Amino acid sequence: MPSQTGANRIGVVSKKLQNIGMDQEAIEADFLKYLCHTLGREISSEDYYLFRALSYTTRDRLMTHWKRTWTAYNQGKLKKAYYLSMEFLIGRSLTNNLLNLGIEDETKQALYALGLDLEQIEESERDAGLGNGGLGRLAACFMDSCATLQLPVMGYGLRYEYGMFRQQIQNGYQVEEPDHWLGFGPYPWEVQRGEYTQVVKFGGQSRQYVDPVDGHLIAHWEHAEVVLAVPYDVPIPGYKNGTVNTLRLWWAMAKEGFDLSEFNAGSYHQAVSEKSQAENITRVLYPNDSSENGKELRLKQQYFLVSASLQDVVQQWSDRHSSFDDFAEYNAFQLNDTHPSLAVAELMRLLVDKEGLDWDKAWQITTQTMAYTNHTLLPEALEKWPKDLFLRLLPRPLEIIYEINRRFLTEVAMRWPADTERQRRMSIVDEHDNICMAYLAIVGSHSVNGVAELHSTLLKDGLFNDFYQLWPEKFNNKTNGVTQRRWLAGCNPELRALLKQQIGEEWITRLTDLKQIEPLADNQDFREQWYQVKQHNKKRLADLVLHETGVILPLNSMFDVQVKRIHEYKRQLLNVLHVIHLYSRIKRGDADNWTNRAVLFGGKAAPGYAMAKQIIKLINNVAQVVNNDPQVGDRLKVVFIPNYRVSAMEVICPGTDLSEQISTAGKEASGTGNMKFMMNGALTIGTLDGANVEILDAVGKDNFFLFGLKTPEVEELRQHYNPQSYIDQSYDLQAVMGLLNSGHFNQFEPGIFDEIIHSIQSPNDPWMTLADFQSYVEVQAQAAQAYQNRDDWVRKSIINTARSGIFSTDRTMAQYNEDIWKLKPIELDGVEIQC
Ligand SMILES: *Cc1c(COP(=O)(O)O)cnc(C)c1O
């Protein structure tokens, strides 16, 4: 862990730092010390204080490991990687830290001896919601796996004061509430590291001077405002291996004293308002998933992250080395989507303007260190910034981007002489003077990867085809994963215990070991135990639903779950149409041989995404009608779980029977929710999209409910899509549309669903919901039928878990390392640390 040494202090006596006791007695003593002496509370205080005392107790036990890891990484020359991401969707940390430290039992016992319950205390930790959805959660899973693989990887992100908003449902509508997650006492896991504060510039002008000594041009970025970037470090422990990596989150602070002249001039208000403007940079996370924000403050956030992080790395390098000749051999940057792609321009700026390297040398270093991960093909997510905005906020980086583009277009012209159309297509600056961040990222990186096989293929064939033709060697695939420490061992203790009985716990660090349970799918006893675990987890989920919505879910019904951000491409609407279809069947008496079903939805809509918000309202209105119809009874229940987040998913995925992964083929880059469900023994109903393709490959078609158009069929159909023809051909669909059109679900709210009804009936519906309706309904019926054969269903459930081994981020990280970063794992035995 970082600390600056008071190098010229004389007579200082360093002491060897001792490990702290990991036994029950030591944990109990420390817990009481923090609770009673530090926090001034007692055993009978609110859970929140117990949580804080226990987190400090746990953090103490991470500290020596953290310091030892930091020491090992900084002694000798070793290659390190930096994961740059605008989002880290961490969720809670207590359970995970206890698990990875290997002190769950000791802690449970220590608390038990005081009459306290660990699980109840764990529940009072607030989620660190510093992300939107999949992209941010992936970053958090990556950090866990890197520490477990003992890879020297550091995360860089932003410490938003307000994370992802809290979602309330009022009269069926989403209402957003600010998530002031730091506002109720300190975040116990972070350590402020003021000694590593960086200075980030905005605005002003860029001027070129001739160096009086050697006559070459020097750029000066003048008259800029400066904002301080103060780092807060969060420990990321590996699983029982002594490694504790660092997630460094930057917080914006106005430069102290910057307002003094204004203050003296009497413009106190002006001074304070400028201070709060500077500090606005890390005030709030933009709540848009898979769509561009286009706001000035967002561009500031991006540059703030990139500039602070790169200065941090470059400074630590120049403190220890006399040249940058081999910088690229020892440093790797991974860009999580285009959000941090300004890193390309910023590293060039630091190397050329600050370190005095010539352009070609700096460019070689930059392209050898940068690697870019693409997360989406959706055009609305592709970031483009107007040149004018750039010029105003980032004049020097803009100049650098123009020079990068000029040289790049020369290369394109040499490869395809006279193909001016291609030069126009590939230009980083488009014909409307917008800077295309994805192109900057590709040009400035040696590696470009997609996040699932299908997605990576579509990048090469479509969106980035010009670049693929120029640089085929840059393109590669890294299929996403999830960490089994959180998404199986941590969130499903009952299944963990059952697995332990049969195959031990090696799977916690080698998930492919789960293969060993596959033969037990034929064992009646084992199947019965598996079923009991699932029923236990369904009870836990039903309790959550009852608490949040007041709806009672029958435990004998199939728990059919779709939780993820609300987006038209994810097609929650298709699921709603199916629910209405089931309701219609019950109402018309077509319910022989019925399978009871509880359909659960959850997810946040971006506050500005009107259609997504209407979808939430529709789900809630349908739920209201269905759940209160006595003719329906236990046969169908529908709920919308408010405020979907990491800690909710930790209850939801273990209790799910059927996982809904039903995006329009070609639109979901990977998905990771699909993997969490599979790992916990849910069967998937899904389209051939994203990582569903690989899930299907792994489990086989007998253990997966596949439906819908494939990507090329979707693209072909786009030319002549006629939704009305699907309505005409399907009695079921006519019945569903009839109920919707008649206002059956909005009797006292006329017209509120007109836009939705119109969108799915439009020949321009990009998501082609109606085209997949019939196939979806048929395969849903197969799933319902399959659920009635308990033995068979449980067999399939076991096979799903058994074959989920490849979806560990341990595998994903090993591949990034093998192909892109090339880091050596660092063992910590024998590393001495001092205090
Ligand atoms: C896993 C996860 C996601 C991603 O879900 P997808 O189904 O892959 O979109 C989003 N949000 C949370 C809270 C998650 O845990």
Side-chain angles (χ1 to χ4, degrees), residues 338-356:
T338 55
H339 314 153
S341 58
L342 271 167
V344 171
E346 180 66 1
L347 186 56
M348 286 300 288
R349 188 183 75 82
L350 295 174
L351 294 178
V352 173
D353 295 359
K354 271 194 152 166
E355 304 295 338

Side-chain angles (χ1 to χ4, degrees), residues 133-134 137 487 563-564 570 644-646 649 671-673 676:
R137 184 53 234 173
W487 296 112
V563 289
K564 48 185 71 242
K570 292 178 183 279
Y644 175 56
R645 62 198 185 282
V646 172
M649 185 54 157
T672 51
K676 298 167 199 164

Side-chain angles (χ1 to χ4, degrees), residues 393-444:
L393 290 183
L394 307 168
R396 180 55 186 157
L398 180 66
E399 269 177 5
I400 290 170
I401 291 171
Y402 268 82
E403 181 60 15
I404 291 170
N405 195 37
R406 190 186 66 77
R407 291 169 181 243
F408 165 62
L409 290 179
T410 307
E411 197 180 333
V412 175
M414 281 179 12
R415 170 73 192 270
W416 291 285
D419 191 347
T420 53
E421 170 57 20
R422 191 186 293 260
Q423 289 169 47
R424 185 196 60 75
R425 284 202 308 267
M426 296 180 78
S427 178
I428 296 171
V429 184
D430 74 11
E431 57 266 54
H432 307 294
D433 268 353
N434 292 312
I435 319 295
C436 175
M437 302 308 278
Y439 295 178
L440 176 63
I442 298 172
V443 173

Side-chain angles (χ1 to χ4, degrees), residues 3 78 222 228 233 247 360 373 404 409 439 609 613 678 712 726:
S3 65
L78 54 96
E222 299 173 344
L228 300 183
D233 289 354
L247 169 60
D360 290 325
T373 304
I404 291 170
L409 290 179
Y439 295 178
Y609 189 172
K613 294 177 115 172
M678 176 199 191
Y726 298 97

Side-chain angles (χ1 to χ4, degrees), residues 89 127 131-135 137-138 141 289 482 486-487 562-565 569-570 644-650 660-661 668 670-677:
L89 189 45
D127 280 39
N132 272 282
L135 173 147
R137 184 53 234 173
L138 184 76
C141 284
D289 188 70
V482 300
R486 181 176 297 263
W487 296 112
Q562 185 174 27
V563 289
K564 48 185 71 242
R565 288 302 290 257
Y569 87 80
K570 292 178 183 279
Y644 175 56
R645 62 198 185 282
V646 172
S647 58
M649 185 54 157
E650 287 168 3
E660 298 273 351
Q661 307 299 337
E668 185 74 272
S670 163
T672 51
N674 47 5
M675 301 166 186
K676 298 167 199 164
F677 285 117

Side-chain angles (χ1 to χ4, degrees), residues 76-82 152 313 317 321 325-332 369 821 823:
K77 229 173 167 180
L78 54 96
K79 187 170 188 185
K80 284 176 262 181
Y82 304 94
V313 174
W317 178 269
H321 308 93
D325 289 348
D326 55 1
F327 181 83
E329 283 165 52
Y330 293 96
N331 294 280
T369 51
W821 305 334
L823 312 171

